[in-house]
């Protein structure tokens, strides 16, 4: 038995990554779509053989409650819209997958977690990297203290975002580099440390004020961990970068890239990390579908998404006040 997935929001990530991955999954398949654009509905219907009864607009979305073909609703909208659609999906009695970042605020995350719990539905965040064996390998180095304690983490994730009018440049829609991309380097630091940061300092740098009028373009931030480990991170909408470095008591790790769709790899004191992976998103969705079918906890549940959003809020506060902020 396979779970039927409905994608909500047919933008770049749904079109280029998730729908193709759902052609490779074994435990779930693309059963339905939710879109505000009738032309997209037409194209997707033909391309993926989606029956009319499984095609919804944002207005008819709640009727999905009566559709037994749909087991999971996957919310792939701009971040400011995640809360509304996660809550509506949970109320419709569907399990929910929600793209990163979970939402703009911790308050939103709490409401999303509560709605899923109240309606007895699973909630997973689209943290594809946590399903990648290359990520799991560096998590293991921290957990097993293979090279001793973690001392210093350096992590950066960014690309050149310059699309005028895009939601990533719009504060109200959940844009800003920390609001959108920020969770990658935060995840890199947290997962490589194997513990949670307790103190953060942060700085914004805006090299293109004409473009980044209301949101951050590049943000630098530093974490202090309870063990004494420290992290120095960069999230950027202006710099193409993707790496993670860790200095341990007795060695090093260097992943480059560490959070790409494919090809994550690295070297460390004792050898290489380079696990093959056919399709990261397919693995993510298959594993999350299995967890639902077996009534197991999700690998990256809402609580995990919320941890990062709490840190994002602290980073914005630290950058605004110039002070160290306790998390
Ligand atoms: P996108 O702009 O390409 O697509 C957004 C979709 O939302 C579009 O179909 C658009 O029509 C729809 N939409 C509905 N109401 C809208 C409104 N008021 N304003 C703007 N768009 C509206 O964005 P995307 O890159 O596909 O990102 C969607 C989500 O997926 C975001 O949360 C993003 O962070 C996430 N994402 C995740 C990954 C990943 O690797 N996990 C990669 C890319 C994007």
């Amino acid at each position: 038995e396979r779970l039927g997935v409905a994608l909500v929001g047919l933008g770049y990530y749904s079109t280029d990554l998730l729908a193709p991955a759902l052609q490779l999954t074994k435990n779930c398949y693309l059963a339905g779509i939710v879109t505000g654009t009738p032309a997209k509905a037409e194209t997707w219907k033909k391309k993926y053989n989606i029956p009319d009864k499984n095609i919804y607009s944002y207005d008819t979305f709640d009727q999905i409650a009566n559709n037994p073909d749909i087991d999971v609703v996957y919310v792939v909208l701009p971040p400011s819209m995640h809360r509304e659609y996660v809550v509506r999906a949970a109320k419709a009695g569907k399990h929910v997958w929600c793209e990163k970042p979970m939402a703009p605020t911790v308050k939103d995350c709490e409401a999303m977690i509560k709605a899923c719990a109240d309606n007895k539905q699973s909630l997973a965040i689209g943290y594809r990297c946590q399903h990648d064996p290359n990520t799991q390998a560096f998590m293991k180095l921290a957990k097993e203290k293979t090279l001793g304690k973690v001392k210093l983490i350096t992590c950066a994730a960014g690309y050149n975002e310059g699309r005028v009018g895009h939601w990533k440049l719009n504060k109200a829609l959940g844009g800003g580099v920390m609001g959108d991309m920020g969770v990658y380097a935060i995840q890199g630091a947290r997962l490589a440390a194997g513990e949670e940061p307790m103190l953060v300092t942060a700085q914004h740098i805006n090299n293109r004020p004409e473009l980044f009028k209301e949101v951050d373009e590049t943000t630098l931030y530093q974490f202090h961990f309870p063990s004494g480990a420290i992290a120095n991170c960069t999230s950027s909408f202006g710099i193409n970068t993707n790496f993670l470095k860790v200095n341990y008591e007795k060695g090093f790790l260097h992943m480059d890239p560490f959070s790409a769709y494919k090809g994550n790899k690295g070297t460390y004191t004792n050898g290489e990390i380079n696990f093959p992976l056919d399709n990261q998103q397919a693995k993510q969705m298959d594993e999350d579908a299995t967890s639902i079918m077996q009534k197991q906890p999700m690998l990256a549940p809402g609580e995990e998404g919320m941890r990062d959003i709490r840190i994002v809020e602290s980073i914005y506060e630290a950058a605004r006040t110039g002070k160290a902020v306790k998390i």
Side-chain angles (χ1 to χ4, degrees):
E1 195 49 28
R2 298 193 303 166
L3 297 184
V5 178
L7 293 175
V8 186
L10 308 180
Y12 155 73
Y13 196 56
S14 283
T15 306
D16 288 21
L17 281 306
L18 297 177
L22 281 165
Q23 311 309 303
L24 306 170
T25 44
K26 297 183 178 68
N27 309 327
C28 55
Y29 73 104
L30 179 60
I33 49 176
V34 182
T35 175
T37 315
K40 281 189 197 167
E42 234 4 77
T43 310
W44 280 63
K45 174 182 155 173
K46 290 205 187 86
K47 186 163 184 192
Y48 294 115
N49 251 315
I50 299 170
D52 282 325
K53 67 178 173 61
N54 292 358
I55 299 177
Y56 295 87
S57 69
Y58 297 110
D59 295 330
T60 62
F61 174 68
D62 304 285
Q63 295 167 20
I64 212 163
N66 309 316
N67 190 334
D69 290 357
I70 312 296
D71 303 290
V72 180
V73 167
Y74 197 161
V75 178
V76 200
L77 292 162
S80 65
M81 300 176 75
H82 290 181
R83 174 181 175 165
E84 179 186 343
Y85 283 88
V86 166
V87 171
R88 282 168 71 178
K91 284 188 178 157
K94 304 299 175 184
H95 298 291
V96 194
W97 297 343
C98 174
E99 253 320 307
K100 51 60 54 181
M102 186 168 171
T105 68
V106 168
K107 206 170 149 236
D108 293 328
C109 298
E110 285 169 346
M112 294 155 78
I113 291 169
K114 184 172 188 303
C116 291
D118 287 351
N119 292 283
K120 300 190 167 46
Q121 303 302 320
S122 299
L123 172 60
I125 307 304
Y127 281 144
R128 53 184 175 72
C129 295
Q130 292 205 16
H131 297 263
D132 186 320
N134 296 290
T135 303
Q136 292 165 357
F138 70 72
M139 291 171 72
K140 204 168 149 206
L141 291 181
K143 188 158 182 261
E144 297 180 353
K145 298 201 166 50
T146 317
L147 300 171
K149 280 188 181 179
V150 172
K151 303 297 284 181
L152 170 67
I153 295 166
T154 316
C155 190
Y159 71 95
N160 193 357
E161 175 60 68
R163 289 174 287 177
V164 177
H166 195 272
W167 62 260
K168 293 196 188 215
L169 280 64
N170 180 315
K171 196 168 172 51
L173 285 169
V177 74
M178 286 316 297
D180 179 51
M181 276 292 288
V183 293
Y184 287 107
I186 292 173
Q187 283 267 305
R190 286 182 49 235
L191 302 181
E195 60 179 332
E196 298 302 320
M198 55 181 195
L199 196 71
V200 59
T201 46
Q203 309 80 36
H204 296 309
I205 294 180
N206 189 350
N207 280 331
R208 292 177 294 174
E210 70 289 357
L211 200 53
F212 289 84
K213 292 188 180 114
E214 46 184 73
V215 297
D216 48 328
E217 180 191 31
T218 293
T219 299
L220 314 177
Y221 44 103
Q222 303 79 38
F223 294 142
H224 289 234
F225 293 93
S227 68
I230 55 176
N232 197 357
C233 302
T234 307
S235 297
S236 181
F237 272 157
I239 305 164
N240 276 311
T241 181
N242 195 291
F243 72 85
L244 167 70
K245 289 185 180 184
V246 186
N247 294 98
Y248 306 88
E249 280 173 314
K250 296 180 287 187
F252 76 96
L253 164 76
H254 181 187
M255 302 285 302
D256 191 341
F258 80 101
S259 64
Y261 297 147
K262 54 172 84 165
N264 292 323
K265 61 177 172 20
T267 51
Y268 71 113
T269 302
N270 298 351
E272 289 195 356
I273 292 175
N274 192 358
F275 290 98
L277 184 61
D278 288 341
N279 185 296
Q280 201 184 45
Q281 286 83 1
K283 185 166 188 282
Q284 168 203 326
M285 292 188 280
D286 265 342
E287 290 178 354
D288 286 345
T290 302
S291 296
I292 290 172
M293 289 188 283
Q294 298 182 347
K295 298 194 177 1
Q296 295 294 315
M298 309 303 295
L299 181 66
E303 288 77 5
E304 172 69 355
M306 184 166 69
R307 278 181 204 114
D308 289 338
I309 302 309
R310 182 163 283 127
I311 294 170
V312 169
E313 284 188 343
S314 302
I315 287 170
Y316 277 133
E317 187 190 336
R320 192 177 62 246
T321 61
K323 296 204 168 98
V325 172
K326 279 192 188 141
I327 299 169

